[in-house]
Amino acid sequence: MEVLWLTWRQHRMQVLLTTALLAVLGVALLISALGTAEFAARNAPVAGCMPYTPPCSTFTIAMNERIRPLGELLGWLPLLAPAMIGAFWGAPLLAREFEHGTHRLAWTQSVTRRRWLAAKIVGLGAAVALGGLALSGMVGPWLAAFDVPPFDVDRIDLRWFRLVGIVPAAWWLSAFVLGMAMGALLRRTLPAMAATLAVCALAFFGLLHAPPSYAAPQRAVQTKVMEDPAPEDSLFVNAYWIDRNGTTFTHEQVTLALTGPCGTDGTEETAKTYATCSFSHGYRQVAEFHPADRFWQFQWTEAAILLVPALALGGVAVRRTLRPRI
């Protein structure tokens, strides 16, 4: 208990500030969700309305305007939140002890080094993971309030993918372990914070568009004019054309080949006529996508990509810390 109390005393500022920020965000999301639910109950069009009719398009535009302000703010969290957790929770955890020499005092008390490390890393790591899950638990219901047909909110969409499920907790925890490891290896607070921020940024931009590559996409071959060959709530990957022999063509190549017999696909109506003409000349449009039921597969895949190397590096740092240079 003494070690847990000391850990709380040393890191209560980070815990309280993070809790306060999550609480403020939760209140904002709750207000937005309640207002959206009331708006949808009063203005949602009848079921099955066509997407391009005035009632549907008006409702969709209004819902877009409602989701946009908080959606833009939330869009920064997958980058900023893990970086701040790593830099301000993880990096100072051991670096500050080494920098100020207070680890010598801590390790000469009745508490063993192993127990001292376990209390700090496990206690704060659990708090970090709970914070990530709390974020997910708030964003999920908020998105559900907007998921009113014809306005669809897809959790597998890359805009929301890192804000729901277990991925926020995985990002937060991996950034925390990364920061702790950098502090243990560099033994200076500011260099450890800078290195943590740099690695978090590299990881974020490296994985930004990675989920579509976590599995081979499914294909839908379009042989007649339809609104969208891919199922609802799916993650779009790619679209292209093939001919009778299976040769792949880009949209521009097909357009160039059919400019004479089929004209162009400028407006919505001419696009349908153009597509019908293209199909009659033996071309088929292919859509590649991931169905919505791959959401949890992709969540666990990204969590593993983040946590396995972070925990491995953390293990190296702990091993070094247990044999300090005094």
Side-chain angles (χ1 to χ4, degrees):
M1 289 299 296
E2 301 88 1
V3 182
L4 290 177
W5 173 248
L6 176 62
T7 302
W8 162 252
R9 289 288 303 272
Q10 289 179 321
H11 303 281
R12 64 184 182 275
M13 185 61 67
Q14 293 99 310
V15 175
L16 292 175
L17 181 58
T18 303
T19 302
L21 291 174
L22 284 173
V24 171
L25 178 61
V27 171
L29 292 173
L30 178 62
I31 293 173
S32 173
L34 292 176
T36 299
E38 181 181 356
F39 172 82
R42 288 188 285 103
N43 298 281
V46 296
C49 75
M50 299 302 293
Y52 299 106
T53 58
C56 273
S57 59
T58 301
F59 180 75
T60 300
I61 292 172
M63 292 291 274
N64 264 318
E65 289 300 312
R66 284 181 165 272
I67 202 172
R68 183 173 53 82
L70 274 177
E72 290 179 351
L73 173 64
L74 291 172
W76 288 98
L77 287 185
L79 169 62
L80 295 181
M84 296 300 102
I85 291 294
F88 292 99
W89 282 63
L93 181 63
L94 298 178
R96 185 177 294 152
E97 301 279 358
F98 287 122
E99 200 168 34
H100 295 164
T102 52
H103 66 292
R104 297 187 178 92
L105 176 63
W107 291 342
T108 56
Q109 306 302 311
S110 59
V111 178
T112 64
R113 296 175 186 177
R114 194 176 300 275
R115 184 181 169 194
W116 181 83
L117 269 178
K120 280 180 166 288
I121 296 173
V122 175
L124 291 176
V128 164
L130 287 175
L133 291 175
L135 174 64
S136 171
M138 293 187 297
V139 174
W142 176 73
L143 289 176
F146 288 88
D147 195 12
V148 180
F151 189 81
D152 294 323
V153 178
D154 307 331
R155 294 186 307 165
I156 201 172
D157 189 298
L158 296 185
R159 292 178 298 172
W160 317 118
F161 178 75
R162 295 185 176 93
L163 293 166
V164 292
I166 62 169
V167 164
W171 272 95
W172 287 32
L173 184 57
S174 62
F176 168 75
V177 175
L178 170 68
M180 179 274 297
M182 289 298 178
L185 297 174
L186 300 178
R187 303 200 171 200
R188 293 291 183 270
T189 303
L190 289 180
M193 294 174 70
T196 301
L197 291 173
V199 174
C200 284
L202 287 174
F204 175 79
F205 289 109
L207 294 175
L208 183 60
H209 300 292
S213 65
Y214 292 164
Q218 293 186 10
R219 296 200 330 163
V221 180
Q222 186 177 358
T223 59
K224 60 181 180 180
V225 177
M226 61 180 72
E227 293 296 335
D228 190 351
E232 290 185 2
D233 301 335
S234 61
L235 176 62
F236 174 79
V237 178
N238 191 21
Y240 53 90
W241 292 77
I242 58 175
D243 63 9
R244 293 186 177 93
N245 299 321
T247 306
T248 301
F249 297 89
T250 65
H251 177 74
E252 290 74 16
Q253 289 171 325
V254 173
T255 301
L256 182 62
L258 298 177
T259 299
C262 296
T264 61
D265 60 345
T267 65
E268 180 184 345
E269 288 304 317
T270 59
K272 292 180 179 179
T273 303
Y274 174 84
T276 302
C277 180
S278 302
F279 297 145
S280 69
H281 281 76
Y283 289 96
R284 301 290 183 265
Q285 189 168 19
V286 179
E288 293 185 343
F289 61 93
H290 292 290
D293 58 14
R294 290 185 177 177
F295 171 78
W296 285 110
Q297 176 188 347
F298 286 6
Q299 286 268 310
W300 286 108
T301 300
E302 181 148 315
I305 291 172
L306 293 167
L307 289 174
V308 169
L311 292 176
L313 181 61
V316 172
V318 168
R319 183 178 178 84
R320 181 180 180 183
T321 304
L322 289 174
R323 294 188 296 183
R325 299 171 298 178
I326 299 180

